[in-house]
């Protein structure tokens, strides 16, 4: 048996055994508590603008698939740009892409544990202020890019 066949068979078994949900709205999300999914930090807003993350898909994972997004609230409302913020943003980007593709359409994500990346003894590096590395002469250009980019509003429909 080829290794690819074994891998595909194993993934098919896992997918068929996974808990499924219906496509109905399961929870309400207070968009205001998440700053309407707009980042308070300019640098994070810039990364959203140039990468075009699908925050609509991210919010739908919370509303329809029970994804617990409470741990990401501080990312949207705090004006902090550190290593921990970048790690959280990467999780949002990945979940948004997979959600947008419909990968999670029938899965209950309530047991998915996010933000559990432990830096251990070097945990202090997570608080390193990445914005200190950004040349301040670039700030006007960053602001222009943010203003010129149309960022879609997140709307959750019943």
């Amino acid at each position: 048996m080829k290794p690819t066949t074994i891998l595909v068979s194993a993934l098919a078994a896992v997918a068929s055994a996974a808990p499924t949900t219906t496509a109905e709205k399961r929870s309400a999300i207070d968009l205001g508590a998440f700053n309407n999914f707009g980042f308070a930090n300019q640098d994070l807003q810039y990364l959203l603008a140039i990468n075009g993350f699908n925050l609509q898909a991210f919010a739908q994972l919370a509303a329809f698939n029970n994804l617990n997004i409470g741990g990401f609230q501080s990312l949207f409302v705090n004006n902090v740009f550190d290593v921990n913020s970048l790690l959280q943003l990467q999780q949002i980007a990945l979940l948004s892409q997979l959600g947008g593709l419909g990968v999670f359409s029938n899965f209950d994500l309530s047991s998915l544990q996010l933000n559990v990346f432990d830096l251990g003894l070097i945990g202090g590096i997570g608080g390193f202020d990445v914005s200190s590395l950004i040349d301040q002469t670039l700030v006007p250009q960053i602001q222009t890019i943010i203003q010129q980019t149309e960022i879609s509003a997140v709307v959750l429909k019943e």
Side-chain angles (χ1 to χ4, degrees):
M1 201 178 232
K2 292 183 180 179
T4 356
T5 308
I6 294 170
L7 179 62
V8 169
S9 299
L11 289 174
V14 169
S16 65
T20 61
T21 64
T22 59
E24 63 186 38
K25 188 172 180 184
R26 296 176 163 254
S27 63
I29 299 173
D30 178 9
L31 296 177
F34 289 87
N35 196 27
N36 294 314
F37 288 97
F39 296 105
N41 180 275
Q42 174 178 281
D43 298 315
L44 291 173
Q45 192 70 19
Y46 169 74
L47 292 176
L48 173 64
I50 65 169
N51 290 290
F53 301 133
N54 185 352
L55 296 180
Q56 180 76 37
F58 181 68
Q60 287 179 345
L61 288 176
F64 293 96
N65 298 88
N66 294 326
L67 179 65
N68 181 4
I69 62 171
F72 294 104
Q73 184 177 7
S74 63
L75 185 66
F76 292 99
V77 298
N78 293 340
N79 190 10
V80 177
F81 188 52
D82 58 12
V83 173
N84 289 328
S85 298
L86 287 174
L87 291 172
Q88 284 187 314
L89 185 63
Q90 179 60 42
Q91 287 182 333
I92 288 174
L94 179 62
L95 288 168
S96 297
Q97 288 177 358
L98 293 175
L101 292 172
V103 173
F104 299 123
S105 62
N106 292 323
F107 292 97
D108 181 356
L109 301 176
S110 60
S111 62
L112 186 63
Q113 294 182 0
L114 299 172
N115 299 322
V116 292
F117 189 73
D118 186 0
L119 294 172
L121 295 174
I122 60 169
I125 198 169
F128 176 75
D129 181 17
V130 179
S131 63
S132 66
L133 301 175
I134 298 171
D135 184 355
Q136 292 303 303
T137 61
L138 296 175
V139 171
Q141 291 173 313
I142 290 171
Q143 291 171 340
T144 301
I145 291 170
I146 292 170
Q147 292 168 356
Q148 291 175 347
T149 305
E150 183 178 322
I151 298 174
S152 302
V154 173
V155 178
L156 295 174
K157 296 181 180 180
E158 300 289 327

